[in-house]
Amino acid sequence: MSQQVSAKKQQELQAQYSSYKETLQAIAQKIGDVETEAEEHKLVLETLEPLPGNRKCFRMINGVLVERTVQDVLPQLKTNADGLKKVLEDLLKQYTTKQEELEKWKRQNKIQVVTQ
């Protein structure tokens, strides 16, 4: 009977561990996506900033290409880039917190990860 309880406990621990790992992987994926988007914003800002404000440029908004001027687009891009930085900081904090939570859980349950 104790073998069944032990096996059931093992399955629960394995499920919890898998859940932690999946969550960490999902957050890491989001971090990668946001970093890529932030880098794209940075490149566009670096390209547009030296140009005259009245120069024509185009921007994709919800799948529609819209004609604007550099002076109209720059403030919006800067706001978006700042927002992406904030999201990235939040995701990094969330990842660190979840990782610490996993380590604490592993210590509490005396878990040792074996890789093959």
Side-chain angles (χ1 to χ4, degrees):
M1 186 71 173
S2 66
Q3 284 292 62
Q4 289 178 337
V5 173
S6 174
K8 186 175 181 181
K9 178 73 172 169
Q10 271 186 331
Q11 287 176 341
E12 288 174 7
L13 291 173
Q14 182 63 42
Q16 288 174 328
Y17 179 77
S18 295
S19 175
Y20 274 115
K21 292 305 270 185
E22 287 170 13
T23 301
L24 285 170
Q25 191 171 2
I27 295 170
Q29 179 64 44
K30 287 179 192 174
I31 288 171
D33 293 346
V34 171
E35 283 177 335
T36 301
E37 196 169 338
E39 186 61 29
E40 288 174 4
H41 274 70
K42 180 182 170 223
L43 290 173
V44 172
L45 283 167
E46 288 173 355
T47 302
L48 291 180
E49 282 175 338
L51 300 176
N54 62 351
R55 182 167 174 170
K56 187 176 13 175
C57 67
F58 295 88
R59 182 168 184 216
M60 184 76 73
I61 301 175
N62 295 327
V64 178
L65 197 59
V66 180
E67 183 179 328
R68 297 277 190 254
T69 62
V70 170
Q71 67 189 11
D72 293 337
V73 171
L74 275 178
Q76 296 167 351
L77 282 175
K78 287 178 183 174
T79 300
N80 288 354
D82 291 342
L84 288 171
K85 284 179 190 174
K86 175 77 173 113
V87 167
L88 187 56
E89 288 171 10
D90 292 346
L91 283 171
L92 288 169
K93 286 178 190 172
Q94 191 178 356
Y95 186 88
T96 303
T97 301
K98 195 53 117 174
Q99 203 167 27
E100 290 168 356
E101 207 176 291
L102 172 61
E103 292 304 317
K104 182 179 174 185
W105 176 83
K106 282 169 43 177
R107 281 192 305 275
Q108 285 175 343
N109 291 288
K110 299 179 176 100
I111 303 292
Q112 290 182 341
V113 179
V114 179
T115 56
Q116 296 176 347

